[in-house]
Amino acid sequence: MDRANFVGYRGLAYIMWGSWRIEGQAMIEGAPTDGFSGTFVADSETEPLLLSTLATALHESYRLRIGEEEEHHEPVDIAIVGHDGNRINFAFRE
C-alpha cells in the first residue's frame, strides 16, 4: 500500500517490535510533503510497562501494520515520538 493511502486511516492496527505485536487502533494524518504521523492507542489490556519500554526505546526499529491480519497489508517503518498512557505518537520513517 502506498503511504499516501494511509492518510485518514482510522481503525485496527498492530505495532510490531521484534517478536512483540501490540494490537490497537491507529489514526493517521499528514501529507506527502509534510510527512506522515499518527497516534496508536493500545488495547486496554496491554501491559503499561511494555508500552513504556516501547516509548523509551526510541532508537529501535518499529513496524506498523494496519487492518485485519487477513488483509495482508505490508507493514511500514515508524518512529515513536511520544507516549502518554496507552497512547503512542509516531511518525513514518523515510
Side-chain angles (χ1 to χ4, degrees):
M1 177 182 271
D2 184 346
R3 288 182 183 190
N5 294 331
F6 282 92
V7 175
Y9 179 81
R10 293 180 181 275
L12 182 63
Y14 299 89
I15 286 184
M16 297 178 293
W17 179 41
S19 63
W20 293 93
R21 191 180 84 191
I22 302 172
E23 184 176 347
Q25 298 291 312
M27 287 125 323
I28 301 171
E29 52 194 35
T33 55
D34 301 330
F36 300 102
S37 64
T39 303
F40 177 87
V41 179
D43 290 340
S44 60
E45 68 270 2
T46 300
E47 176 62 47
L49 182 58
L50 174 60
L51 288 176
S52 294
T53 301
L54 267 175
T56 57
L58 298 178
H59 62 281
E60 296 291 335
S61 178
Y62 301 100
R63 310 272 289 161
L64 177 76
R65 175 181 291 165
I66 65 167
E68 298 284 342
E69 293 272 345
E70 309 80 53
E71 294 180 67
H72 301 293
H73 292 298
E74 287 297 315
V76 295
D77 293 324
I78 60 169
I80 295 178
V81 296
H83 160 257
D84 182 25
N86 68 339
R87 180 180 305 271
I88 294 172
N89 297 318
F90 63 87
F92 284 76
R93 289 182 187 242
E94 293 302 319

